[in-house]
Every structure is written in C-alpha cells, then in structure tokens.
Amino acid sequence: MSDVYLALVHYPVYNKNMETVATSITNLDLHDIARCSTTYGIKRYYVVHPAEAQRALAKRIMGFWQEGYGAEYNPDRQEAFSRVKIAVDLAQVYAEIEAEHGVGPIKVATDARKYANTIAYSELREDIENNGAPILLLFGTGWGLLKEDVEKMDRILEPIYGPTDYNHLSVRSAVSIILDRLRGH
C-alpha cells in the first residue's frame, strides 16, 4: 500500500480570467480538507503558499485547535490538524516526501479539464493499493493549477462529472469526492 499525500496549491493557479495568481488560504479549506484527509488516511496534507503572511495565518488558525482551549474543546480537530503541514512551494513538498521515502512521489494532478493522458480513478486506486511508491495528489485553488504544471505531472486524474456538463466544484468538494473514489469502501 502506498502512502498518499495531498497538496493544496495556492500559487501558481489561475483566476477566472485565466491569469496566474496566488489565492488566499481559507479557514474552511484548512478545516474541511484536514478532516477529510484524516478520514481517508492521507499521510500528510500540505498547504502550499509562498506568502509568509498567509502561512502565518494558517499556522495561527491551526494552533488554536492544536493547543489550549481549542484542543480541549475539540480533540478530533486537533487530530485532523496533526496531519497538516504548511509549505512555501512544491519543491519543499517533493523534497520532504523524498527524504522520508528515499524516492520522490508519483505526482498526480487533479483538474476540472480533461487532458490527453488522463487516467481513471480505478487505475490510480490500483496503484495506491499495489505500487508502494509514495503518491502525491495535487489540487489547485482558484480556477485550478496552471496547464503547463498539470502537463508536467506523472499522472493526471480524470475530472469529476455528474449527470450534467457543470463541473466547477469547490476544492473541498473535489477533495472529498476524489478521496472517496480512491480510498473509500
């Protein structure tokens, strides 16, 4: 069984005009994705942002739930935040995973757009269950990861579709659906 990691990327990502931007870290993304990551056995949830002020905000929010009153009030939240790590960039994430495993992670992009080399959930689920190499799932905030960055990944996971053509989900919803497809019973 592979260790699975998750990275929520805030830069570089697209805005609605397809311009490269940095998005803000949100309280909901921290809480909800940490809880989902814990539920589905994600080894570490990385929140990636280059701005020190944004990383400090995330640490302050998490600190409330990891120490003192917040930790006493809601021990489940404390457990969920124990898997979260704040990172400056993806290079830091890749290096930490490689240092832990002796091999770099298989990098898997998620996107609402379909690419020529997109893989099915069943294929990635099989890799997780049988491969043994660490796997890093990358999620973009805003309007998603840059196309050129997605195309550099080892694998690209197919988009989420329902019975309609609409597939612009919040990143929290997308993470939940994808983790359930990959790790759920």
Side-chain angles (χ1 to χ4, degrees):
M1 177 82 72
S2 295
D3 283 335
V4 179
Y5 296 81
L6 190 151
L8 183 64
V9 179
H10 291 83
Y11 175 84
V13 294
Y14 289 123
N15 67 11
K16 67 180 180 174
N17 299 316
M18 301 309 281
E19 300 164 324
T20 302
V21 298
T23 58
S24 297
I25 292 174
T26 71
N27 191 18
L28 286 173
D29 289 347
L30 287 172
H31 284 266
D32 290 354
I33 297 173
R35 293 162 63 191
C36 189
S37 293
T38 303
T39 298
Y40 288 101
I42 298 303
K43 177 113 183 206
R44 193 165 303 110
Y45 160 36
Y46 287 95
V47 178
V48 182
H49 205 296
E52 176 56 38
Q54 286 288 301
R55 293 191 311 273
L57 172 65
K59 288 175 186 174
R60 190 167 66 242
I61 291 167
M62 293 185 334
F64 175 80
W65 297 101
Q66 292 176 303
E67 304 159 1
Y69 176 76
E72 291 173 26
Y73 176 76
N74 192 338
D76 290 337
R77 195 67 48 96
Q78 180 185 31
E79 179 184 353
F81 277 132
S82 71
R83 294 174 187 261
V84 181
K85 177 133 190 210
I86 309 300
V88 173
D89 57 25
L90 284 173
Q92 177 187 346
V93 173
Y94 302 156
E96 287 184 12
I97 295 170
E98 185 169 349
E100 186 168 340
H101 292 273
V103 62
I106 296 169
K107 298 180 280 290
V108 182
T110 63
D111 201 297
R113 295 169 285 272
K114 193 162 187 166
Y115 291 81
N117 55 345
T118 296
I119 64 165
Y121 292 94
S122 58
E123 186 178 342
L124 185 56
R125 187 178 179 114
E126 187 175 312
D127 277 352
I128 291 168
E129 292 172 359
N130 300 315
N131 186 333
I135 294 175
L136 174 63
L137 301 171
L138 293 108
F139 292 85
T141 56
W143 284 60
L145 299 166
L146 302 187
K147 181 180 181 197
E148 57 267 26
D149 291 341
V150 170
E151 291 173 340
K152 291 177 191 171
M153 297 298 147
D154 300 313
R155 299 199 175 99
I156 304 167
L157 199 54
E158 66 186 335
I160 298 168
Y161 287 108
T164 69
D165 292 334
Y166 187 87
N167 75 339
H168 189 73
L169 297 166
S170 71
V171 72
R172 295 176 306 284
S173 294
V175 167
S176 297
I177 292 165
I178 290 171
L179 291 185
D180 191 66
R181 288 180 180 179
L182 297 175
R183 305 282 294 214
H185 293 289

